[in-house]
Amino acid sequence: MTDISREALRADIADILEIAPADLADDANLMDAGLDSMRAMNLAAQWEERGLPLDFADLGEAQTLAEIHALAQARQGKAPA
């Protein structure tokens, strides 16, 4: 498993949304920011390749960067930072 920081998640999500990482707030609704199902599947595939235990369904449930980070940390047995 890969340990991934909130900032790394932010960079990945911002990249797929084609926005600057600084423009992605922790509590922004990712669907409102443009994260559609195709982009979510691509993110999940990227993260799976890096060993991050998140999948497409997780991205449907966790709708903010903060929620995704907390879920990733929980799956890795760590307390959210």
Side-chain angles (χ1 to χ4, degrees), residues 6 66 69-71 73-74 78-81:
R6 183 181 306 229
H69 183 251
L71 184 57
Q73 293 294 297
K78 299 177 190 259

Side-chain angles (χ1 to χ4, degrees), residues 13-34:
I13 295 167
D15 184 54
I16 209 149
L17 295 176
E18 299 178 353
I19 61 173
D23 292 339
L24 184 61
D26 288 354
D27 61 351
N29 183 302
L30 297 177
M31 300 244 184
D32 291 346

Side-chain angles (χ1 to χ4, degrees), residues 12-77:
D12 290 344
I13 295 167
D15 184 54
I16 209 149
L17 295 176
E18 299 178 353
I19 61 173
D23 292 339
L24 184 61
D26 288 354
D27 61 351
N29 183 302
L30 297 177
M31 300 244 184
D32 291 346
L35 186 64
D36 58 23
S37 60
M38 290 303 295
R39 290 176 174 157
M41 284 191 287
N42 288 336
L43 270 176
Q46 284 177 15
W47 292 336
E48 182 180 356
E49 287 175 8
R50 295 192 333 228
L52 185 63
L54 294 175
D55 60 27
F56 176 71
D58 295 326
L59 296 178
E61 292 178 28
Q63 303 217 349
T64 67
L65 172 61
E67 291 172 349
I68 291 171
H69 183 251
L71 184 57
Q73 293 294 297
R75 295 271 173 84
Q76 295 178 83

